[in-house]
Amino acid sequence: MPVVSAVCIIFVFSIMFVMKKIQEIAIAEYDYPLPDDLTFMKGDYKESYPDYLAAINRLDENVGKLIEKLKSYVGKAKLEPMLLANNQAPDTVVQVNTLKITREELVQVLTEEGVGVQNHPWAPDCLILTGTGNLERLESFRQGLYYVQDAAAKLSVLCARIPAGAAVLDCCAAPGGKSFAAAIAMEGKGQITSCDVHDHKTGLITSGAAR
């Protein structure tokens, strides 16, 4: 697990590096900046950036090299399902706030609210929801009985095995899921300092903690 986790972390940061490099290429060679979220790849910026295809081709070339590197770590048999999973729409996964409610009790509450619920196959106290619509309309969400968090994000907290009463620093906390998971693991005892480099995102941490 540590090796696979390390490889995944390297892969994510490598993708971020490639995104940054494509911006540098666009500025240096085509004299225009690209949006941080790369929405130009969807064609939204065709009129503004007539040479965007050249930038995309350069990005494709770098991503191909990155995939080959990842394949050398995990092998073809593991790489293909990883890439397939990356192209699929993720499930809506929520972490049960066991400081307020048990998993079994929350399943009953959500069912009464008309939400489809099933246990996550491997993440403890996580549920997969369907048919939620806008989560903010649900009273269970407004009461803070759970929060949305990809199961993979919870792995960092599970691996850390944080004891009750610990002092935790979450340096890249927004929107707050890992900090909340740590608080639950610590049984509401101890201290967590949650911060983020983007000021506008810290409000998400504050609102989530208030719920």
Side-chain angles (χ1 to χ4, degrees), residues 115-132:
V115 176
V117 188
Q118 61 179 346
N119 292 325
H120 193 276
W122 54 264
D125 292 323
C126 283
L127 302 171
I128 300 174
L129 307 186
T130 56
T132 60

Side-chain angles (χ1 to χ4, degrees), residues 47-204:
E47 298 302 324
S48 302
Y49 305 120
D51 294 324
Y52 82 113
L53 280 176
I56 291 176
N57 289 336
R58 184 70 64 85
L59 177 61
D60 287 342
E61 178 184 341
N62 286 312
V63 170
K65 293 177 181 178
L66 181 61
I67 290 174
E68 286 300 315
K69 188 67 173 178
L70 183 61
K71 184 169 135 181
S72 70
Y73 282 106
V74 302
K76 182 178 179 181
K78 290 184 179 179
L79 177 62
E80 290 185 354
M82 286 174 63
L83 295 178
L84 285 172
N86 188 59
N87 285 330
Q88 294 174 352
D91 293 322
T92 299
V93 178
V94 299
Q95 159 81 45
V96 181
N97 184 355
T98 54
L99 297 177
K100 290 187 174 183
I101 195 170
T102 66
R103 177 176 56 82
E104 293 78 11
E105 289 171 340
L106 181 57
V107 168
Q108 182 176 348
V109 170
L110 288 168
T111 301
E112 291 173 355
E113 290 180 319
V115 176
V117 188
Q118 61 179 346
N119 292 325
H120 193 276
W122 54 264
D125 292 323
C126 283
L127 302 171
I128 300 174
L129 307 186
T130 56
T132 60
N134 182 2
L135 279 173
E136 294 183 354
R137 72 175 178 82
L138 299 176
E139 183 63 26
S140 57
F141 179 82
R142 293 195 292 267
Q143 290 179 357
L145 303 184
Y146 57 90
Y147 58 91
V148 177
Q149 182 183 43
D150 187 87
K154 188 180 178 181
L155 277 177
S156 59
V157 176
L158 294 176
C159 292
R161 299 180 180 178
I162 306 170
V168 175
L169 173 62
D170 189 347
C171 296
C172 187
K178 292 186 294 296
S179 291
F180 304 153
I184 292 171
M186 295 160 58
E187 301 173 1
K189 304 171 184 176
Q191 179 178 345
I192 299 176
T193 302
S194 304
C195 49
D196 198 277
V197 295
H198 302 290
D199 291 338
H200 67 280
K201 290 185 176 181
T202 56
L204 298 174

